[in-house]
Amino acid sequence: MKVLVTAKRVIDPYVKVRVKSDGSGVETANIKMTMNPFCEIAVEQAVRMKEAGVVSEIVVVSIGAQQCQETLRTAMAMGADRGILVETADEVQPLAVAKALKAIVDKEQPKLVIMGKQAIDDDCNQSGQMLAALLGWPQAAFISNIAVNGDGAEVTREIDGGLEKLSIRLPAVVTTDLRLNEPRYVTLPNIMKAKKKPLEIIKPDALGVDMSPRLTTLKVQEPAKRGAGVKVADVKELVSKLKNEARVI
Amino acid sequence: MPTYTAPLKDMQFVIRELAGLDEIAALPGCAEVSADLVDAVLGEAAKFAQEVLDPLNCSGDKQGARLAGGKVIAPDGFALAYKQFVAAGWNGLSGQTAFGGQGLPHSVALPVQEMWSSANMAFCLCPMLTAGVLEAVGHHGSAAQQKTFLPKLTSGEWTGTMNLTEPQAGSDLSAVRASAVPEGDHYRIRGTKIFITWGEHEMARNIVHLVLARTPDAPEGVKGISLFIVPKFLVNADGSLGERNEVKCVSIEHKLGIHASPTCVLAYGDDKGAIGYLVGAENRGLEYMFTMMNHARLGVGMEGVALAERACQFALDYAKTRVQGREIGQRSGDRVTIIHHPDVRRMLMSMRAQTEAMRALAYVAAAALDKSKLHPDEKQRRRQQALVDLLTPIVKGWCTEQAVEIASTGIQVHGGMGFIEETGAAQILRDARITTIYEGTTGIQANDLIGRKVAFEQGATAKAVIAQMRGVVGDLDQQPTLATMRTALVAGVTALETATDWLVATFPAKPAMATAAAVPYLKLFGTVAGGWQMARAALVAQKQLAAGQGDAGFYRAKIASALFYAGHILPQASALGHTVINGSASTLALDVADF
């Protein structure tokens, strides 16, 4: 079966993020970028399913600037077969992503879409769910296990307070949680091979999708600096401070 | 302890702007070497170096390699890391494609090696030695030998070693005594080899030793040494492993640094003699070794760059976190991190500026090595060969000597904590200390430089390089903001030219006087060549800034490094030049008997 995975290009998680001086967003120019870690898990899962003989073809999709080609090459070096870049200079927001992906899914007809549960830049955690809704497909978000059997799949979801096991019909959209797998190191021969794999670049217009942002960012600012701690004399004072100053209990 | 982060931005800058990636990509067989491929390779190698090799660096140093029951046990985690290294295909980076390698040029392989060495030099030595065997057998082995040994050495399933040194034969290999007696299609090897890096271990299924030995009728001296392949396990006709050969590790050395890398004493043939296979023709062993010398020496020079980089990162991390004292001139207010103190800044800048200069020179030499092998025009190949021949002893000698100094400065930045092992700063100095010694000491490099590389050709290539440096001086004319660089570079180049003239004139008539000045000359050349590269870097940075292109912060920092180099490092050239020309008499004034 064919699988579609998504790979978002984000600021490297080890880079210290800086807010732009005009408060319009965070600084991304000349900053190390990488594949969103949850997307890496999604790609890894697809590759493992291919290695296990469950999957026959992996198509990886990225949406964003021209440089997202690097992210797609990384996914292809991990084992994806071909890449599609929906190239746009606009800020990509979840609904636009879901619409663009729906157009690609309609064209590619995959039996399963695997996405990261969220991107570590905006932490939206919406695109997968929206895509499933637009397609009218079953969805299982935050999965830590998946086993495909025929026209369905057994998945384990990570939910508040435990694990939830579900049977879903395919085609479906699933999103990955951290414990699903540990992504592999890309091998050198596969980096070389990835260069030769097909990479298609599409504009949103060609998909008939309006990707212009619907949400307006008013202001981005750094979190307040943490003040110095204080020593409390006893438990009573601690409880009182938590209640009256911190107002958390 | 801080963690190592590969300096990808500077590496990419140097590869593209100074080493000339476009020219490399235009070489036959290098069409694949595009900027995005290089970025992808460097990016993934950085990840592997940071996440797999770096975490084992300190623990490997503490635990060290051990010898137990004839077996050498690598520190915990090393065998698994090696397995991952092989599985990820890194061992085959520059190996011939015919044997499963990726055939990438030195211009890519050496930067990748920089990251392995920065992250974990002791580990990196194992694949480096394998690369040496690959190159020697790849050039001089028979088709059958290549078929038997190269695929598994390329993948890293087997590792390789170099067996040159014996107790009485160190820098002077003419004293080699190990013997090789012909027997049918092979030889029987006997003798003891010392200082064999990764000479025995259990990380790979087989080890392929390259051994220098003498055949029964061999002439005396260096012209009577042959090269043999002696596998730890004999290889059957079908490629499977057969009997254990007669080679064993009788002890491993207790060393100042690179504790995780077992340095073995290997005993060959204590019964019938170890089975060895002659590489190429008899008595030409040393000549074969020389064919891969430039590469091996550049590799060790790169270790100097790598450890200097690690030292920079550790010192910077400490200077940014350690709070001590107030800003100079302030009597009250908050205490500040020590990076605010001018002398700490001076140390950090000196480490950084020199490391960047060393990296630039080493990568430029790697590019020359590629061009010397691959350029379609024979004249160009010869010119590049002469250039890489000249630069190799400088990169090896100068980068490693500076690395020791930089690692020492790194400790100084840490103050008392640098003297304590737990900061990791001391290990860098201990590990760096071997780099000025193995693969030819600094003295040997300097002798090679002044003799074979400068005097014997009347300084022709050196003069060509000096002319290129003067070209850069010309480019600096139009850059008022780089005026201090121009002044310093002019003085440095003049000192280098004068010293070169003196060497060419002195060497034939008074070889002892010339040789006594060899190391100062090597340091002079390194210092000026580093300034040459920093000036080139500053010019590129200036141009990009003027055009408003790229990462302005990076370019401004590059110019700051270059100007520091001009103010603090390049002026040393004049003093070194003075020493070259006037220092030898005092070096030799005291008679041996009077010491």
Side-chain angles (χ1 to χ4, degrees):
Chain A
M1 71 179 199
K2 189 198 268 189
V3 166
L4 192 131
V5 289
T6 53
K8 185 175 184 185
R9 183 168 182 267
V10 297
I11 294 181
D12 188 281
Y14 297 102
V15 166
K16 194 173 179 295
V17 175
R18 286 209 187 102
V19 174
K20 279 186 188 162
S21 50
D22 64 359
S24 65
V26 297
E27 199 60 72
T28 52
N30 304 312
I31 301 256
K32 189 172 178 233
M33 305 292 277
T34 185
M35 192 193 303
N36 175 39
F38 290 105
C39 297
E40 250 188 312
I41 294 173
V43 176
E44 174 69 28
Q45 191 58 35
V47 175
R48 287 186 188 194
M49 289 165 82
K50 190 177 175 189
E51 285 166 350
V54 179
V55 164
S56 54
E57 190 190 15
I58 303 168
V59 180
V60 56
V61 182
S62 190
I63 302 173
Q66 180 208 350
Q67 291 92 327
C68 293
Q69 289 184 43
E70 289 165 27
T71 314
L72 290 172
R73 292 284 173 211
T74 306
M76 290 191 276
M78 288 175 75
D81 297 295
R82 60 190 169 91
I84 299 172
L85 168 61
V86 181
E87 192 180 331
T88 169
D90 283 336
E91 179 192 341
V92 288
Q93 294 181 348
L95 184 58
V97 168
K99 284 181 184 171
L101 288 176
K102 177 178 185 295
I104 292 173
V105 167
D106 287 344
K107 197 171 119 197
E108 294 285 342
Q109 296 289 318
K111 211 169 166 190
L112 180 66
V113 176
I114 312 178
M115 298 172 68
K117 71 168 179 180
Q118 67 198 71
I120 60 158
D121 48 3
D122 54 23
D123 277 338
C124 281
N125 191 347
Q126 297 167 6
S127 301
Q129 294 87 331
M130 286 178 173
L131 173 63
L134 290 177
L135 287 166
W137 285 8
Q139 61 170 289
F142 326 136
I143 62 163
S144 60
N145 194 38
I146 179 166
V148 172
N149 42 32
D151 281 338
E154 306 287 320
V155 299
T156 307
R157 298 181 60 223
E158 304 218 336
I159 56 169
D160 291 346
L163 301 173
E164 182 183 53
K165 294 198 173 180
L166 295 176
S167 284
I168 52 170
R169 272 192 326 277
L170 298 180
V173 176
V174 298
T175 73
T176 63
D177 216 317
L178 272 184
R179 277 154 289 270
L180 180 59
N181 60 51
E182 201 180 320
R184 67 195 57 201
Y185 286 105
V186 170
T187 71
L188 179 63
N190 286 344
I191 297 173
M192 309 288 284
K193 278 183 211 147
K195 255 197 93 160
K196 299 190 181 89
K197 290 184 179 176
L199 196 166
E200 184 188 355
I201 299 172
I202 315 178
K203 299 278 182 194
D205 292 349
L207 291 173
V209 178
D210 173 16
M211 292 197 63
S212 51
R214 304 286 184 90
L215 308 171
T216 318
T217 302
L218 299 179
K219 193 179 170 193
V220 176
Q221 62 186 50
E222 288 202 21
K225 281 230 164 69
R226 213 180 127 191
V230 285
K231 249 186 193 167
V232 291
D234 49 27
V235 174
K236 216 171 131 189
E237 194 191 338
L238 173 68
V239 171
S240 137
K241 276 188 185 294
L242 288 174
K243 212 173 219 160
N244 302 321
E245 284 180 33
R247 293 170 198 270
V248 290
I249 54 173
Chain B
M1 192 182 292
T3 49
Y4 165 70
T5 308
L8 289 173
K9 256 189 196 163
D10 196 48
M11 299 173 80
Q12 286 160 346
F13 171 81
V14 175
I15 294 176
R16 270 176 221 178
E17 306 290 348
L18 305 181
L21 181 61
D22 291 348
E23 284 175 62
I24 300 298
L27 296 172
C30 291
E32 283 184 324
V33 190
S34 58
D36 54 343
L37 179 84
V38 171
D39 287 355
V41 170
L42 294 182
E44 289 301 328
K47 211 161 144 190
F48 192 88
Q50 291 161 193
E51 292 174 15
V52 179
L53 301 182
D54 184 42
L56 297 174
N57 193 40
C58 178
S59 60
D61 174 64
K62 264 195 203 126
Q63 193 182 20
R66 289 154 297 151
L67 179 66
K71 285 187 175 178
V72 173
I73 317 293
D76 294 345
F78 271 56
L80 178 62
Y82 185 74
K83 211 171 141 190
Q84 288 176 283
F85 184 83
V86 170
W90 291 114
N91 202 71
L93 185 76
S94 52
Q96 296 179 41
T97 48
F99 301 108
Q102 298 301 329
L104 287 171
H106 297 294
S107 304
V108 180
L110 276 164
V112 170
Q113 186 224 311
E114 181 197 321
M115 292 188 266
W116 305 149
S117 300
S118 281
N120 195 328
M121 178 165 128
F123 175 93
C124 171
L125 288 170
C126 188
M128 268 177 89
L129 268 296
T130 306
V133 176
L134 277 171
E135 203 169 342
V137 178
H139 274 110
H140 306 292
S142 67
Q145 288 169 345
Q146 293 183 349
K147 191 167 159 262
T148 305
F149 295 103
L150 293 192
K152 290 198 163 95
L153 285 168
T154 303
S155 69
E157 203 176 321
W158 298 351
T159 68
T161 73
M162 292 287 172
N163 296 240
L164 285 72
T165 310
E166 296 176 14
Q168 77 293 342
S171 296
D172 178 9
L173 288 168
S174 64
V176 159
R177 274 193 220 136
S179 69
V181 178
E183 183 190 90
D185 67 344
H186 57 260
Y187 290 69
R188 289 286 184 177
I189 313 288
R190 283 191 182 75
T192 301
K193 292 286 179 182
I194 64 167
F195 296 172
I196 310 308
T197 300
W198 287 98
E200 171 62 25
H201 60 83
E202 304 286 314
M203 300 200 303
R205 287 170 58 224
N206 202 5
I207 303 175
V208 180
H209 304 290
L210 274 191
V211 183
L212 287 184
R214 285 180 189 286
T215 52
D217 309 317
E220 287 283 301
V222 290
K223 297 233 155 70
I225 299 175
S226 307
L227 185 63
F228 298 90
I229 297 172
V230 186
K232 173 178 168 184
F233 288 99
L234 298 174
V235 183
N236 298 324
D238 63 357
S240 63
L241 292 185
E243 254 177 80
R244 183 80 154 79
N245 207 351
E246 260 181 52
V247 47
K248 67 179 180 199
C249 176
V250 292
S251 73
I252 63 173
E253 308 291 351
H254 299 275
K255 310 189 292 289
L256 177 66
I258 50 169
H259 289 159
S261 157
T263 303
C264 304
V265 177
L266 292 184
Y268 287 88
D270 53 7
D271 184 18
K272 286 183 257 169
I275 290 179
Y277 310 98
L278 179 69
V279 177
E282 281 189 9
N283 301 330
R284 294 182 61 184
L286 219 50
E287 178 194 327
Y288 298 154
M289 283 293 190
F290 271 76
T291 56
M292 56 187 183
M293 202 170 61
N294 277 343
H295 176 210
R297 289 184 169 177
L298 284 181
V300 176
M302 196 58 77
E303 290 178 356
V305 178
L307 291 174
E309 174 63 39
R310 189 176 178 86
C312 286
Q313 293 189 14
F314 276 50
L316 180 60
D317 180 80
Y318 191 78
K320 275 183 163 174
T321 47
R322 170 72 171 166
V323 175
Q324 201 72 188
R326 295 197 175 87
E327 194 100 40
I328 192 90
Q330 305 282 326
R331 287 177 169 267
S332 59
D334 287 346
R335 293 175 199 282
V336 295
T337 49
I338 60 171
I339 193 169
H340 287 84
H341 302 317
D343 187 58
V344 173
R345 289 270 268 286
R346 179 192 61 78
M347 289 190 278
L348 293 172
M349 282 306 289
S350 114
M351 296 171 77
R352 176 194 182 115
Q354 292 189 84
T355 303
E356 287 177 15
M358 287 150 57
R359 175 176 297 118
L361 189 64
Y363 288 16
V364 164
L369 180 59
D370 285 329
K371 288 181 217 163
S372 76
K373 293 200 153 79
L374 302 172
H375 203 284
D377 176 27
E378 210 223 312
K379 231 198 221 148
Q380 261 298 333
R381 277 206 303 277
R382 266 210 308 268
R383 198 176 306 151
Q384 297 293 339
Q385 184 67 49
L387 179 63
V388 73
D389 285 347
L390 177 81
L391 290 180
T392 296
I394 299 168
V395 169
K396 198 302 187 174
W398 180 66
C399 291
T400 59
E401 289 285 339
Q402 296 319 104
V404 171
E405 199 185 302
I406 290 165
S408 178
T409 307
I411 291 179
Q412 192 72 16
V413 171
H414 286 75
M417 283 311 291
F419 201 65
I420 308 296
E421 289 283 357
E422 72 184 45
T423 56
Q427 187 197 342
I428 303 172
L429 178 62
R430 290 188 288 98
D431 286 351
R433 203 59 196 81
I434 187 61
T435 60
T436 64
I437 299 169
Y438 61 20
E439 202 57 45
T441 61
T442 308
I444 298 271
Q445 304 303 324
N447 289 352
D448 175 50
L449 174 66
I450 63 154
R452 268 190 292 273
K453 312 293 167 66
V454 175
F456 285 0
E457 50 160 44
Q458 279 75 49
T461 310
K463 289 288 176 66
V465 169
I466 287 169
Q468 284 192 48
M469 293 173 176
R470 292 217 188 275
V472 173
V473 169
D475 296 340
L476 287 166
D477 283 343
Q478 284 91 42
Q479 302 289 343
T481 51
L482 303 177
T484 53
M485 171 54 96
R486 187 190 179 283
T487 312
L489 190 57
V490 167
V493 174
T494 306
L496 178 61
E497 189 162 39
T498 315
T500 304
D501 289 338
W502 177 87
L503 257 186
V504 170
T506 310
F507 192 88
K510 300 177 186 163
M513 291 288 277
T515 309
V519 169
Y521 180 76
L522 179 142
K523 287 187 174 176
L524 166 63
F525 214 134
T527 304
V528 179
W532 167 41
Q533 294 307 325
M534 288 309 275
R536 291 182 64 210
L539 282 165
V540 173
Q542 189 78 284
K543 201 170 134 197
Q544 299 279 23
L545 279 175
Q549 278 172 349
D551 186 346
F554 175 82
Y555 293 128
R556 277 197 297 272
K558 183 55 85 180
I559 291 172
S561 288
L563 294 183
F564 182 94
Y565 195 97
H568 292 248
I569 315 296
L570 256 180
Q572 296 166 13
S574 304
L576 286 162
H578 178 89
T579 302
V580 169
I581 294 168
N582 304 297
S584 294
S586 62
T587 302
L588 302 172
L590 199 58
D591 255 6
V592 171
D594 296 334
F595 266 90

